[in-house]
Amino acid sequence: MWQEQGNLTNAFGDLTFGSSWQDAPDCSENSLVSQLQTTLDLQQQLEIFSMSVGRALILNGLTLKTALGEFKASGSKAGTYQHIASLTLEQQVLAELRYESEYPFTPLIQQQLLLLESEWLFSLRNALVVGRLQQMALKDPLTTLGNRRFFDDSFAKAVQLAKRHQSPFALLLLDLDNFKQVNDIEGHSIGDDVLLKVADCMRETLRATDSLFRFGGDEFAVLLTDSDAEHAERVAERLLNAIKSESFLVKLGVGCSIGLARLSPEQQPRDLFHLADEALYQAKSSGKGKVRHSSYRSNLAEKLTQPMRVAS
């Protein structure tokens, strides 16, 4: 397979609006530049760019790699020939493009692609800036896990998707044991270090970083799908043990309790959250440092007769 490799070194640098370009691209109506300027969505920009590239050569696939993630044009698949290019604006590498085709990327084709890429640079840079700001608004500033706003949106969507595809789904709610005492005695700086260590344990133990959340304080949540959801108890115990054995947390006497609930076909997101919250309350009240699983059927009567409780 023939390929030309670009070098992705710095995905953002100091991205700002309003830079200049010596050779201004065509901005006339219906030009590629004007089409790209209609959206700040990276996937949509990639689709627009892909259509323009398709006029220069027959593509099998097109992939955009950025600091915000990897995006593929619709219908992308591997090709016999591959061409990789770095998209750079004012010495800042914005992204990497990988082209797939059944036809060779001749020097003439590469030159045409380079011209098209130059017309994307400003719109791409602006989309990356906006995307980064949006991502920051959904992250907990201390741990960089998802925040409560991100959880609410992700949780509702994940439940709907699991129901639609009849796939397994589980929710873990975590609450740290003895965190308040450590925070009060050792100070907020040490308390922040504890939260960072817990977040690291979650990342190292679990697969999906986009499914890890911190609500604020010492409360965390995990969304489990597919095989992880099928073995949710095992995953929860593994996470519990990772936190219990972390040396810094052991020294401070900090552990965690976990409440687990699996999705049933008849459940709504609020029902599943309530069951996980109930399981967490049981884990805390039974001596802490434990995983408790809440069954929908066995807890239905209790759910209907008791108010929702939040573990502390």
Side-chain angles (χ1 to χ4, degrees), residues 140 146-148 174-175 179 195 213-220:
D140 170 53
N147 59 20
R148 182 57 188 263
L174 289 74
D175 190 89
F179 175 75
L195 296 172
F213 306 88
R214 178 190 173 213
F215 289 170
D218 59 344
E219 298 175 348
F220 298 82

Side-chain angles (χ1 to χ4, degrees), residues 56-253:
L57 77 159
I58 300 175
L59 280 180
N60 282 45
L62 185 60
T63 302
L64 176 71
K65 182 179 179 181
T66 76
L68 298 180
E70 189 173 281
F71 304 83
K72 290 183 178 292
S74 299
S76 290
K77 59 183 180 180
T80 303
Y81 297 91
Q82 185 180 83
H83 173 64
I84 298 177
S86 292
L87 302 186
T88 304
L89 178 61
E90 297 177 346
Q91 299 182 339
Q92 297 176 11
V93 179
L94 304 180
E96 183 181 270
L97 266 179
R98 185 173 69 248
Y99 301 87
E100 306 273 357
S101 179
E102 293 303 317
Y103 299 92
F105 291 88
T106 65
L108 178 59
I109 289 294
Q110 292 182 46
Q111 185 177 10
Q112 290 178 305
L113 294 178
L114 183 61
L115 290 172
L116 290 172
E117 291 161 8
S118 70
E119 297 188 13
W120 191 6
L121 295 177
F122 286 109
S123 295
L124 175 62
R125 190 266 311 275
N126 292 344
L128 288 169
V129 171
V130 171
R132 182 176 62 172
L133 293 174
Q134 291 174 337
Q135 206 173 66
M136 289 171 60
L138 299 175
K139 297 291 185 181
D140 170 53
L142 176 64
T143 64
T144 70
L145 300 179
N147 59 20
R148 182 57 188 263
R149 174 185 170 189
F150 192 19
F151 170 82
D152 290 340
D153 184 55
S154 300
F155 182 47
K157 290 179 179 177
V159 169
Q160 291 176 359
L161 191 63
K163 284 186 171 186
R164 184 180 307 136
H165 296 288
Q166 297 183 340
S167 56
F169 178 80
L171 169 66
L172 304 183
L173 294 181
L174 289 74
D175 190 89
L176 300 188
D177 300 328
N178 306 321
F179 175 75
K180 186 177 185 304
Q181 296 92 312
V182 170
N183 207 36
D184 291 344
I185 295 172
E186 302 292 341
H188 294 296
S189 177
I190 298 298
D192 286 350
D193 290 340
V194 167
L195 296 172
L196 287 169
K197 286 293 185 183
V198 171
D200 288 342
C201 287
M202 294 174 71
R203 291 189 185 96
E204 293 168 3
T205 307
L206 304 170
R207 293 186 309 169
T209 55
D210 287 341
S211 298
L212 308 179
F213 306 88
R214 178 190 173 213
F215 289 170
D218 59 344
E219 298 175 348
F220 298 82
V222 181
L223 305 182
L224 298 178
T225 59
D226 301 325
S227 60
D228 281 346
E230 290 178 350
H231 304 95
E233 288 92 346
R234 190 184 305 169
V235 173
E237 289 288 352
R238 190 165 70 242
L239 177 57
L240 181 74
N241 291 330
I243 293 173
K244 287 171 62 175
S245 61
E246 209 291 325
S247 58
F248 179 73
L249 301 178
V250 171
K251 181 180 178 181
L252 294 172

